[in-house]
Amino acid sequence: MSLHRKILLFIALGFISGAVRGQEMPYFVAYSHHMEEPGSLEVETRTATGRPRGDNRFFGNSTEWEYGTTAWWTSELYVDYTSTLGDATALGGFRFENRVRPLMSEHWINPVLYAEFEDINGADKSVLEVVGHDAAADFAVPVAEARADRMLEAELKLILSSDVAGWNLSENAIFEKNLSNSPWEFGYALAGSRPLRLQASDLRCVFCAQNFTAGAEMYGGLGDRYTPGLHNTSQYAGPVAGWQIPNGPRFSFEAGSGLNDYSLAHLFRLGVAYEFGQLPGLKGGR
Amino acid sequence: MNRKTKILVTALFVSASAWSLAATGDGAWLRKVPAADRARQNPLPHDESTPKAGQLLYMQHCASCHGNDAGGRGKRPSLRTGRVREATDGELQWLLKNGSLRNGMPSWSSLPEVQRWQLVRYLHSLSVSSAPE
């Protein structure tokens, strides 16, 4: 199978598997405090594509299975793939994350604690976060060479999020540690979004304004333990949009732009999600 | 990860799910509603379209747990009860916003407040079923 067909196949598989309904915001890096409903499974695929200067375009795909363990605890498993035009397609690795809400009711700002274990390699280009001194040049390393660089990493996040007048505002602080002898790396993500219409229509509709969400997201690295700050870090910002088909899949899109020469010029993302409400065998009570 | 760790992680995962699913909707949340929230009135008009819109929202967000007819599903509680019927607008709005996380009811603060009011209007339009609460 040619590389182009492989790319088309795995993008098509992403669409088929679907991704998002209900509680999710159309962000790609930032998390809000909204959790998966208990007993529900959401399958989502996100594809990031960019082109390092003077190199070939890459497609970094991440397929995730998000399960609501309880109303305050959500678990996710990710599998990452990467394809680079004119190069190769490779498995980027696995991630397992858990998010916990320590407070049991809504406040003006709602914290969520996040812990993730990653078994990934250098070919992973899903760009689910940007930390430390991650650079555009990292995306230009040939896949065969990059995948030999295996990384076992732990990632912690402090997620803060608020819902105000129809807006969701989310702020994330990211702390990542390669479990080998590497320093802690830092990053952040900020995002805000709002439905185009707050009041729901009394008609069944797919294209009603209430089903569309628009906003913006910004994220980047903040250096590491020894060299904290913005120097030699990648920074991205761009508009995000989401479309939730009632009782159907959710689509999200982001057109990110690099804010400095250390970043990719553009980073486009597409997400498709579908939620399987109340898995068979877990239709028990609450 | 060795075998014992795997078993421990799996047991923790399963017991957390079971704990969440085993808890019952006993209405304890009602005691937590602040007086100011309890007294809130639904600002939406008493017309035909509000509960209709609320029903569409219910089918989209709530029916997978509480059933298409709101009569409950498995151990998930029925919403056709005297407790729901007699709850004030403000109490239901508070429950939808905050959830009852320990009992498995998620927070729906991601929905705009006006949509939660539409849901409240729909829930109050439901008739009480004869099944035990």
Side-chain angles (χ1 to χ4, degrees):
Chain A
M1 189 185 290
S2 71
L3 179 61
H4 285 83
R5 285 193 175 183
K6 282 179 186 171
I7 292 168
L8 287 174
L9 178 64
F10 100 91
I11 289 174
L13 284 172
F15 272 100
I16 291 166
S17 63
V20 204
R21 178 184 75 167
Q23 303 259 35
E24 296 284 335
M25 299 296 156
Y27 312 144
F28 286 86
V29 177
Y31 283 81
S32 73
H33 68 292
H34 301 300
M35 315 292 273
E36 183 60 37
E37 292 95 73
S40 294
L41 176 73
E42 182 180 271
V43 183
E44 176 168 15
T45 182
R46 305 175 186 189
T47 301
T49 179
R51 187 174 181 188
R53 290 173 188 85
D55 212 309
N56 293 329
R57 176 168 294 280
F58 69 85
F59 296 86
N61 177 269
S62 176
T63 300
E64 65 180 71
W65 291 265
E66 180 179 77
Y67 178 68
T69 310
T70 70
W72 49 267
W73 175 12
T74 294
S75 301
E76 283 190 66
L77 175 69
Y78 295 77
V79 179
D80 300 343
Y81 294 88
T82 294
S83 247
T84 301
L85 296 180
D87 191 350
T89 298
L91 180 67
F94 304 88
R95 300 162 189 257
F96 180 62
E97 74 171 46
N98 285 281
R99 280 178 282 146
V100 172
R101 275 186 70 158
L103 303 181
M104 294 292 118
S105 58
E106 287 286 311
H107 298 268
W108 67 275
I109 191 160
N110 300 281
V112 174
L113 306 177
Y114 169 111
E116 182 180 71
F117 171 74
E118 303 173 359
D119 182 354
I120 57 176
N121 60 56
D124 182 1
K125 296 174 183 173
S126 52
V127 204
L128 295 179
E129 69 278 319
V130 175
V131 293
H133 298 285
D134 290 351
D138 299 339
F139 298 104
V141 179
V143 170
E145 184 183 329
R147 68 182 299 191
D149 181 18
R150 185 183 177 196
M151 296 173 284
L152 300 180
E153 295 183 333
E155 185 178 299
L156 304 174
K157 288 181 184 176
L158 174 62
I159 298 164
L160 301 172
S161 170
S162 313
D163 290 313
V164 184
W167 285 88
N168 173 263
L169 304 172
S170 297
E171 309 87 32
N172 298 181
I174 307 171
F175 310 87
E176 188 174 277
K177 174 85 171 74
N178 188 320
L179 298 178
S180 65
N181 189 22
S182 299
W184 280 93
E185 296 178 298
F186 311 120
Y188 73 93
L190 307 169
S193 68
R194 182 188 187 277
L196 296 189
R197 186 171 189 264
L198 297 183
Q199 189 159 351
S201 167
D202 62 350
L203 300 172
R204 282 180 202 278
C205 54
V206 170
F207 296 104
C208 292
Q210 78 208 34
N211 296 331
F212 292 88
T213 305
E217 184 173 47
M218 179 176 179
Y219 52 91
L222 293 173
D224 59 34
R225 180 184 167 195
Y226 299 112
T227 55
L230 294 171
H231 185 63
N232 286 349
T233 61
S234 297
Q235 305 292 326
Y236 297 92
V240 294
W243 177 32
Q244 172 68 60
I245 297 176
N247 296 309
R250 183 193 68 193
F251 299 87
S252 42
F253 176 74
E254 179 174 294
S257 296
L259 302 182
N260 58 21
D261 289 341
Y262 218 65
S263 317
L264 294 165
H266 302 288
L267 188 58
F268 298 103
R269 296 169 182 270
L270 176 69
V272 191
Y274 189 85
E275 184 179 281
F276 299 91
Q278 305 306 295
L279 293 183
L282 289 175
K283 291 176 182 174
R286 99 182 356 172
Chain B
M1 193 183 286
N2 63 32
R3 191 162 175 263
K4 277 186 180 174
T5 311
K6 282 179 187 169
I7 291 171
L8 188 66
V9 169
T10 307
L12 188 66
F13 202 75
V14 170
S15 49
S17 300
W19 176 74
S20 167
L21 296 175
T24 55
D26 59 3
W29 60 271
L30 273 166
R31 293 192 292 273
K32 297 178 185 170
V33 183
D37 287 290
R38 183 165 296 161
R40 293 184 73 191
Q41 298 287 317
N42 195 331
L44 300 177
H46 283 276
D47 57 11
E48 284 184 9
S49 71
T50 303
K52 202 172 162 189
Q55 183 179 18
L56 292 175
L57 289 168
Y58 175 88
M59 295 304 292
Q60 187 176 345
H61 300 294
C62 317
S64 65
C65 284
H66 295 285
N68 291 345
D69 64 350
R73 199 171 193 183
K75 292 180 183 173
R76 311 272 185 186
S78 168
L79 302 177
R80 293 178 173 275
T81 65
R83 184 184 300 134
V84 172
R85 184 81 175 176
E86 290 157 18
T88 67
D89 289 347
E91 286 170 337
L92 292 180
Q93 168 71 236
W94 185 91
L95 177 63
L96 290 170
K97 180 181 177 185
N98 290 277
S100 181
L101 303 189
R102 283 198 179 90
N103 290 326
M105 168 70 180
S107 154
W108 287 98
S109 65
S110 58
L111 290 179
E113 183 173 90
V114 66
Q115 291 189 21
R116 295 197 299 268
W117 284 126
Q118 289 175 305
L119 271 168
V120 168
R121 190 71 86 212
Y122 170 67
L123 293 176
H124 272 155
S125 74
L126 295 171
S127 60
V128 176
S129 72
S130 54
E133 290 183 20

